[in-house]
Amino acid sequence: MIHLSTSLSAPKVLSLLDEQYYTDTFTFFKKIESNILNGYNLEISFSSCIEIEPSAALLLFSTVNFLHMKYGFNRIKIKQLALGSTLSYDAALSRSGVWEALNCKCVQDVENLVIQNNKFKTSCDQSILKKADEILRGIKDLSQEHIFFLNLAMKEAVLNVIYHAYIDKSGIVSPDELGIRWWQCAWVNTKQKTVNIIIHDRGVGVLGSYKNGQDDENALNEAFLQGYSRSGLVNRGMGSEDMKSPVNELMGQHTLTVLTGEFVYEYQLRTIQPIITKRKVAICGTLVHWNCSYGNV
């Protein structure tokens, strides 16, 4: 089949969290998908983009990689950054491995992201978490406590993907030919002394699988309380505390942010209750992001 070609430019800032930029960011991701679904080959340029924050980088990888694997690796091309462009001077971004991950040319390249332990990778196999652990252990000044609680939280998030993300409230399993898959990254900013662990699935979303009869902020808050789960059984759903453990147990400034559907759930110790906001734009599936300071910060 012959496809027409078109181009798309990324907005000035790609951010899922900043109120000023998130609408343009989600519009950009929707345009990537719609161009491919409408039969176009797409070239994406970042010449006007000056910043890509970590969770937006993972969603970019998830979006492009999903479309690559589903519709063909030749359908999306990432235009090489020009020398001297703002993004080319972003050391944390350059070292993150995102550009290599976005430029996979075949399934073997995708598998090599895991084999070579690129910070950006995708899998249907939870053994991938061992690779994330290797990355954490390689970060200078990252404490053993950070490694333990981040590993604990990641494991629970991946188990949620495996057992819940692609199953709706009626118990219907909905993954496509790519399987029960997630995309993850371990983004380290050594200058700011922060580590970002991010996991994204393209499933039904937390409220799409949670069986409490509601579809609002209260249901989302309940889903992250100890002892609640989609099963409705008593003393299940204890894993939500594992997901919160980096925030609860580590010294420093830490935030757990979950984007699912139209909702953003933010949990940190300095607020008495989690902050839940509803937006006019929705994310596909669920994205979980731990942002943790380390060292002497």
Side-chain angles (χ1 to χ4, degrees):
M1 180 182 294
I2 297 176
H3 298 280
L4 296 175
S5 297
T6 189
S7 60
L8 180 65
S9 294
K12 180 180 178 181
V13 175
L14 285 177
S15 174
L16 307 185
L17 307 178
D18 191 309
E19 295 295 320
Q20 183 178 353
Y21 299 113
Y22 77 78
T23 300
D24 287 344
T25 298
F26 278 100
T27 299
F28 170 67
F29 290 132
K30 291 293 185 184
K31 286 181 179 179
I32 294 175
E33 294 188 49
S34 64
N35 273 293
I36 300 304
L37 294 177
N38 287 327
Y40 289 93
N41 286 340
L42 182 64
E43 181 179 69
I44 303 175
S45 169
F46 293 87
S47 59
S48 300
C49 186
I50 63 171
E51 181 182 354
I52 304 177
E53 60 95 18
S55 57
L58 181 66
L59 187 57
L60 174 64
F61 168 55
S62 170
T63 302
V64 171
N65 183 260
F66 170 79
L67 295 170
H68 270 162
M69 291 197 292
K70 193 172 179 69
Y71 298 105
F73 288 87
N74 64 332
R75 299 292 306 280
I76 302 176
K77 178 183 177 182
I78 306 299
K79 190 172 182 179
Q80 187 173 356
L81 290 179
L83 293 176
S85 64
T86 302
L87 289 183
S88 68
Y89 289 109
D90 187 330
L93 181 66
S94 297
R95 290 194 298 264
S96 71
V98 65
W99 300 118
E100 293 82 356
L102 289 171
N103 281 288
C104 289
K105 304 299 183 186
C106 60
V107 172
Q108 186 59 55
D109 285 350
V110 177
E111 294 175 355
N112 285 341
L113 296 176
V114 178
I115 295 170
Q116 298 168 6
N117 209 7
N118 187 300
K119 295 182 178 69
F120 285 75
K121 54 181 73 74
T122 180
S123 184
C124 301
D125 185 347
Q126 62 180 311
S127 66
I128 193 178
L129 293 176
K130 296 177 182 177
K131 294 290 188 176
D133 175 70
E134 290 176 15
I135 292 173
L136 292 177
R137 293 184 183 280
I139 301 172
K140 183 181 179 182
D141 298 328
L142 191 68
S143 71
Q144 290 300 311
E145 289 79 10
H146 277 76
I147 295 170
F148 175 81
F149 286 111
L150 285 171
N151 274 319
L152 186 67
M154 281 190 290
K155 180 180 179 180
E156 179 57 31
V158 166
L159 289 175
N160 281 340
V161 175
I162 293 171
Y163 292 111
H164 304 300
Y166 293 91
I167 305 174
D168 68 15
K169 295 178 181 180
S170 302
I172 297 174
V173 181
S174 61
D176 59 16
E177 65 271 21
L178 298 185
I180 299 176
R181 178 175 295 274
W182 65 93
W183 292 256
Q184 68 181 55
C185 78
W187 177 299
V188 184
N189 190 316
T190 55
K191 185 177 180 180
Q192 297 178 358
K193 292 280 188 166
T194 57
V195 58
N196 295 271
I197 302 296
I198 313 165
I199 294 173
H200 179 235
D201 68 72
R202 305 184 72 86
V204 300
V206 174
L207 296 181
S209 66
Y210 190 59
K211 301 178 181 178
N212 81 334
Q214 301 181 68
D215 190 19
D216 58 15
E217 293 94 330
N218 293 327
L220 185 59
N221 186 54
E222 182 181 285
F224 283 96
L225 291 176
Q226 184 174 358
Y228 286 85
S229 79
R230 71 180 300 275
S231 69
L233 299 175
V234 177
N235 294 324
R236 296 294 298 274
M238 309 303 283
S240 61
E241 294 305 301
D242 290 343
M243 289 182 62
K244 296 175 184 176
S245 64
V247 178
N248 291 337
E249 303 296 340
L250 297 174
M251 297 291 291
Q253 298 296 320
H254 315 294
T255 305
L256 166 64
T257 305
V258 180
L259 289 83
T260 186
E262 298 174 312
F263 293 97
V264 180
Y265 172 99
E266 185 177 287
Y267 178 75
Q268 50 188 325
L269 286 184
R270 59 187 171 188
T271 56
I272 298 175
Q273 296 291 335
I275 298 172
I276 300 175
T277 55
K278 186 175 183 180
R279 295 171 166 177
K280 294 181 180 180
V281 294
I283 191 172
C284 170
T286 299
L287 183 144
V288 183
H289 180 185
W290 296 270
N291 175 277
C292 298
S293 63
Y294 68 94
N296 296 320
V297 176

